[in-house]
Amino acid sequence: LNKQKKNWKTKLGDLQLLIETKKIKSSDKIDIKYLQSSKIIKKKYEKIKILGQGEIKDKLNLEVHFLSSSAKEKLSKNGSTIKILESK
């Protein structure tokens, strides 16, 4: 049996594109439930990992499980709110 949790990986540039195409709102809290209810990710995913590739223009309110150091740096520079969730 594969016990590994399903991680959804995305890049900052992809999040920006989702905002620009109005699939998600930068003003909303972006977490796993929000992305699932917005039909961005499938229900099988349990954790979110954000990578630093691309540019992020909008301030975000993120609740994620993993964040690369480059993503953290870019998000903290633009004043975003980040909460890292405990991995169970």
Side-chain angles (χ1 to χ4, degrees):
L1 273 150
N2 184 359
K3 292 273 187 207
Q4 191 176 8
K5 303 271 187 232
K6 301 266 192 253
N7 293 336
W8 184 68
K9 294 184 186 113
T10 190
K11 303 176 183 108
L12 288 177
D14 295 340
L15 285 177
Q16 185 65 45
L17 190 63
L18 286 170
I19 293 163
E20 287 170 10
T21 56
K22 309 227 182 309
K23 288 189 170 62
I24 60 174
K25 288 186 185 152
S26 58
S27 57
D28 290 339
K29 180 176 81 173
I30 298 169
D31 61 8
I32 197 126
K33 285 185 175 70
Y34 175 75
L35 292 169
Q36 287 169 341
S37 65
S38 303
K39 307 275 189 265
I40 305 296
I41 62 175
K42 293 184 171 79
K43 296 272 187 243
K44 67 176 184 176
Y45 292 107
E46 297 173 36
K47 297 185 178 184
I48 304 172
K49 183 173 195 168
I50 309 275
L51 305 171
Q53 290 94 333
E55 291 306 313
I56 189 79
K57 298 179 193 121
D58 294 70
K59 268 188 196 182
L60 301 179
N61 178 4
L62 287 173
E63 280 193 13
V64 298
H65 300 86
F66 308 101
L67 191 66
S68 74
S69 53
S70 60
K72 188 175 185 177
E73 190 178 324
K74 288 178 183 179
L75 288 164
S76 55
K77 269 187 189 163
N78 86 352
S80 292
T81 305
I82 310 155
K83 181 178 179 189
I84 303 294
L85 300 168
E86 289 291 314
S87 294
K88 291 186 174 106

